Amino acid sequence: MRNVDSPPEPSTKDGPARKSAVFDRWVSRYLDHLVLVAGRSANTLAAYRRDLGRYAAFCVDHGVSDPRAIQPPQVSEFLASLTASGLAPASVARCLSAVKNFHRYLVRQDEAKQNPARPIKTPRLPRKLPDVLSVRQMQLLLEQPGESDPHHLRDRAILATLYGCGLRVSEAAGLAVDDIDFSAGFVRVRGKGNKERLVPFGPSTQRALRRYLDSPARRDADSGARDHVFLSQKGGPLSRMGLWLIVRRYALRAGLGERVHPHTFRHSFATHLIESGADLRAVQLMLGHQSVATTQIYTHLDRQHLRRMHTAYHPLESGFRSRK
């Protein structure tokens, strides 16, 4: 079965999509700009390259070989083709964002007078609430790694840091020893766009990190990788995939199934803070969200928690529990 997020490249009656040297040159220049000026991550760059490749192929196949000559109807037709090919709404929205930013770049370079994608509205996406573990489930998960060897100490530190600081998987994998300030109880995190923020951590996270970093195997690691906090069994920096597999292994061991991934820790971190009365602005800063609107999704989860508490404990809703 074809992956709906990977539709076939546009084609014509004469065969595969044609390419345009002019189009490719401007896309390459824009991608260079994302790296050198905007400081975008490798993941963002790969997504933009893929989406703009689709866009270029579509435009050239429809007779437009220069992106500076594109008009709004052609952008709309491109989005319609993505939807017709079965691409998910979130992926269509991501493509539109890439196209808008690409044309905005051309305008700012004085190579185009208008952004043909600007009038196009982003498809409305269904608001999906993230998976969140309960406090009890999270405690069970954190207790899964043993303490019999250094790798177990590492895994305990990984789980504690993900939940204790609400880090993204890339942020945890890229954490350096110098980023941890044990005396102040803060960790310096490099998030999206290479933006830095300070996130506090508590005693339990501190204990897990200290025990791991002070372990003999960790101290004897290769000097070239020792600056990284989390190392693989071979002694090199732990990759994002390696970290993801560690989380999955312990989630399965805890009986929580395959729905748990590193981002589940981040969602649970934010939700549990808000349920306990934390200020929304403070949670925004700890998560590194640019807008508080992004953080507000966790207030929806908090309302769900309140509704469950109301149903469980209000006498009318809980069936008039007998009082003795």
Side-chain angles (χ1 to χ4, degrees):
M1 181 179 294
R2 178 176 59 84
N3 187 336
V4 295
D5 280 342
S6 302
E9 294 292 337
S11 59
T12 64
K13 295 179 180 179
D14 299 325
R18 296 182 298 273
K19 290 190 176 184
S20 162
V22 175
F23 215 123
D24 289 348
R25 183 169 65 251
W26 280 113
V27 169
S28 296
R29 288 182 181 180
Y30 175 58
L31 294 177
D32 289 342
H33 167 81
L34 291 180
V35 175
L36 300 175
V37 179
R40 296 301 180 89
S41 68
N43 289 335
T44 300
L45 190 67
Y48 269 69
R49 180 178 288 109
R50 181 172 59 251
D51 293 339
L52 292 176
R54 290 171 175 166
Y55 182 54
F58 176 88
C59 291
V60 173
D61 274 352
H62 288 76
V64 183
S65 59
D66 191 329
R68 297 167 294 185
I70 294 174
Q71 299 298 315
Q74 291 156 335
V75 179
S76 296
E77 291 172 6
F78 168 65
L79 295 179
S81 73
L82 295 179
T83 301
S85 71
L87 198 66
S91 298
V92 174
R94 188 197 64 222
C95 279
L96 176 57
S97 176
V99 170
K100 282 186 175 182
N101 290 332
F102 171 58
H103 283 291
R104 185 181 298 120
Y105 165 78
L106 294 177
V107 172
R108 289 176 177 174
Q109 296 295 312
D110 292 328
E111 293 292 339
K113 294 183 178 180
Q114 65 174 357
N115 183 342
R118 185 176 181 181
I120 312 300
K121 293 184 177 181
T122 302
R124 190 174 183 85
L125 302 178
R127 196 168 182 85
K128 182 180 178 181
L129 296 178
D131 289 331
V132 173
L133 298 180
S134 68
V135 174
R136 186 174 181 178
Q137 288 174 323
M138 183 58 70
Q139 289 174 335
L140 176 64
L141 181 51
L142 294 175
E143 293 169 356
Q144 290 307 305
E147 301 182 16
S148 58
D149 64 52
H151 297 307
H152 290 164
L153 294 178
R154 178 204 61 185
D155 297 348
R156 290 179 76 92
I158 287 173
L159 300 185
T161 303
L162 286 173
Y163 178 57
C165 301
L167 303 187
R168 300 179 178 94
V169 62
S170 58
E171 295 169 348
L175 204 60
V177 175
D178 289 343
D179 292 330
I180 304 174
D181 187 338
F182 284 108
S183 60
F186 278 86
V187 60
R188 183 173 65 242
V189 182
R190 294 172 182 82
K192 290 185 176 180
N194 207 30
K195 293 183 178 179
E196 291 189 358
R197 68 184 189 276
L198 293 176
V199 182
F201 58 84
S204 59
T205 303
Q206 178 165 326
R207 283 194 300 271
L209 282 169
R210 278 196 179 278
R211 292 197 63 187
Y212 165 57
L213 292 175
D214 292 341
S215 64
R218 179 62 180 74
R219 290 198 307 268
D220 296 338
D222 181 72
S223 59
R226 202 178 299 158
D227 291 341
H228 288 77
V229 174
F230 299 119
L231 305 181
S232 68
Q233 293 188 13
K234 295 182 178 180
L238 185 65
S239 67
R240 292 184 304 151
M241 179 56 69
L243 199 150
W244 185 89
L245 291 173
I246 289 171
V247 168
R248 180 177 181 179
R249 179 168 69 248
Y250 290 114
L252 292 173
R253 183 181 297 180
L256 298 175
E258 297 185 0
R259 69 185 181 94
V260 178
H261 46 80
H263 228 61
T264 306
F265 287 74
R266 182 171 165 87
H267 295 321
S268 301
F269 165 85
T271 303
H272 296 166
L273 282 175
I274 291 175
E275 286 180 353
S276 300
D279 178 72
L280 189 64
R281 171 62 176 164
V283 176
Q284 176 198 352
L285 292 174
M286 286 185 277
L287 292 175
H289 288 160
Q290 288 188 339
S291 170
V292 73
T294 308
T295 317
Q296 283 177 335
I297 188 172
Y298 298 108
T299 64
H300 293 280
L301 295 171
D302 185 40
R303 287 199 290 271
Q304 287 187 339
H305 170 73
L306 293 176
R307 191 179 299 114
R308 288 195 300 270
M309 294 300 99
H310 178 273
T311 302
Y313 296 108
H314 191 284
L316 182 62
E317 303 301 336
S318 59
F320 291 94
R321 293 187 180 88
S322 58
R323 299 180 180 179
K324 297 183 180 179

